[in-house]
Amino acid sequence: MKIAIIGGGPSGLFLSILLKERMADVDIDVFEQNAEDATFGFGVVLADTGLSNLRAASPAVVDELARAMRFNHQHSIVSHEHPITMKRPGAGGGAIPRIRLLSILQARARELGVRIAFNHRIDDFAAIDADLIVGADGVNSRLRSAYETEFGTTRRSLTNHFAWYGVEKPFDGPALVFRKHEGGYFVAHYYPYSETMSTFVAECDHETWQDFGMDRMPDDARRALFETVFAPELAGCSLVSNNSVWRQFPVIVNATWHVGNKVLIGDALTSAHFSIGSGTRIAMEDAMALADAIVTHPDDVPAALQQYDVERRPQKAKLISASEASYMWYERIREWMELPSAHEFVFRFMTRTGRVNLERMKQQFPELIAELSTGGVPELTGEKP
């Protein structure tokens, strides 16, 4: 089988590795439009559950990723200027520099005989000589865009505005800070991913964006505004830009996952909101499901794609449902930040996706429940919420 993978990100590279580890004679080309040493963004988070799932598919490469990660076993949520810290369930999660993640996957793919072409932008997908063409080229997928009608693509944008920055400071651990400042509603999500750097996601609601005139500000002024709002956390450090474009999150869904010999995975298929911290893991698990299907049907592309759709769609629907619940919660952030206490705010945050209810919180976060019980949360005091 000859396979062309469009996109040299984590999902495309992981797919190539999984296939070559199990089908040595499969012929794979990966086409990446960016340069080999180019990466946009800073650190990538992989939670403990996600790592376990990925390790089961390729122990050697995931163990190498884990060795390069910076692990954190607790995180903090700050609202009403009151920090509440909780320990993560299980072994905890970690973060890795995105460029290091890609270099590990690139090296393993090449070791297995995968050909990777950088600075290679494809405009005519019909001219590709391959039995299967995989769109692993992210939220702005060119393969998907070329066949939007056939894939049944729908898209819309959320109202909040955000940008990804870095900070030359390794914070003690991941944190979410929700802060009201001069009538505006601001959010910062930061986490360390190396000995010297952290990722810093800056966000505000649309009303704040307009009230502060951020639509008319140059990027330097927007960055300076967030440095002012979150000065207590940054402690004199500046935000570092790396293609840190301010935008509104695109919600992309495709009714059809495969068209002819073309198939989508990762954000090219369905965008997962960054607030659930699982986008990379979801994309790599798509690659796992597609690899399993191809290995099961090595001489029958239609059958492989049908299996991928049937087996992966229900699993992914749960994850995307959690993503939707999370981003809709953030769309109402102004309302939540007006709750009377930090304790009630944290409870609403923890239960926002529906995947964590009170019973699960009691099992996984007993110390957090004990603290929230002192804060007048209606569900914990027996009062009607």
Side-chain angles (χ1 to χ4, degrees), residues 262-289:
K262 303 169 185 67
V263 63
L264 303 176
I265 64 175
D267 280 344
L269 175 61
T270 314
S271 55
H273 194 257
F274 54 86
S275 64
I276 64 171
S278 300
T280 299
R281 186 255 293 187
I282 292 172
M284 293 174 74
E285 287 181 349
D286 283 356
M288 289 168 53

Side-chain angles (χ1 to χ4, degrees), residues 60 63 77 82 100 121 140 151 173 181 195 332:
D63 283 345
I77 300 174
H82 178 78
R100 179 65 178 140
R121 177 170 173 150
N140 296 314
F151 282 119
H181 173 82
E195 296 300 317
R332 298 168 55 193

Side-chain angles (χ1 to χ4, degrees), residues 40-323:
F40 302 115
F42 296 90
V44 173
V45 172
L46 290 171
D48 47 3
T49 303
L51 276 177
S52 296
N53 292 342
L54 299 177
R55 182 177 285 110
S58 181
V61 73
V62 176
D63 283 345
E64 187 172 356
L65 292 177
R67 287 193 290 271
M69 293 177 69
R70 181 184 176 99
F71 284 87
N72 295 283
H73 303 290
Q74 61 184 32
H75 66 284
S76 300
I77 300 174
V78 181
S79 70
H80 297 67
E81 302 305 322
H82 178 78
I84 294 179
T85 300
M86 62 207 75
K87 294 181 179 179
R88 294 178 180 269
I96 182 173
R98 180 174 171 81
I99 194 166
R100 179 65 178 140
L101 167 66
L102 292 177
S103 67
I104 289 172
L105 295 177
Q106 289 165 5
R108 178 57 175 160
R110 284 179 169 138
E111 178 186 351
L112 293 168
V114 176
R115 294 182 296 272
I116 307 175
F118 293 96
N119 296 304
H120 197 112
R121 177 170 173 150
I122 295 177
D123 295 310
D124 184 4
F125 296 100
I128 296 177
D129 177 22
D131 299 301
L132 176 63
I133 302 174
V134 181
D137 47 345
V139 73
N140 296 314
S141 170
R142 292 178 58 78
L143 178 64
R144 185 196 62 233
S145 296
Y147 298 91
E148 279 199 356
T149 301
E150 293 85 347
F151 282 119
T153 306
T154 58
R155 67 177 73 222
R156 65 186 178 91
S157 294
L158 302 182
T159 62
N160 284 5
H161 299 258
F162 70 96
W164 290 70
Y165 294 106
V167 184
E168 291 183 353
K169 171 183 178 178
F171 288 101
D172 292 336
L176 270 163
V177 183
F178 300 85
R179 178 162 292 146
K180 289 188 283 187
H181 173 82
E182 296 183 358
Y185 291 70
F186 300 87
V187 184
H189 177 201
Y190 56 80
Y191 53 88
Y193 64 86
S194 74
E195 296 300 317
T196 59
M197 291 291 296
S198 297
T199 294
F200 188 104
V201 186
E203 184 175 2
C204 67
D205 70 347
H206 186 61
E207 189 171 342
T208 297
W209 178 266
Q210 291 181 313
D211 289 347
F212 278 72
M214 293 182 69
D215 54 331
R216 302 182 299 277
M217 286 183 184
D219 285 342
D220 287 349
R222 294 169 182 156
R223 187 168 65 250
L225 172 60
F226 271 79
E227 289 172 346
T228 298
V229 174
F230 295 100
E233 290 73 27
L234 292 170
C237 295
S238 300
L239 295 177
V240 179
S241 180
N242 176 15
N243 198 39
S244 302
V245 179
W246 279 92
R247 56 202 185 277
Q248 293 166 298
F249 186 81
V251 178
I252 295 172
V253 177
N254 291 276
T256 302
W257 286 25
H258 52 94
V259 174
N261 69 334
K262 303 169 185 67
V263 63
L264 303 176
I265 64 175
D267 280 344
L269 175 61
T270 314
S271 55
H273 194 257
F274 54 86
S275 64
I276 64 171
S278 300
T280 299
R281 186 255 293 187
I282 292 172
M284 293 174 74
E285 287 181 349
D286 283 356
M288 289 168 53
L290 181 56
D292 286 344
I294 293 171
V295 170
T296 302
H297 303 281
D299 301 314
D300 191 342
V301 169
L305 298 184
Q306 181 65 17
Q307 177 181 318
Y308 164 62
D309 189 320
V310 170
E311 295 193 0
R312 178 60 175 161
R313 189 183 288 260
Q315 300 169 356
K316 189 160 187 177
K318 295 178 182 179
L319 297 168
I320 296 304
S321 176
S323 172

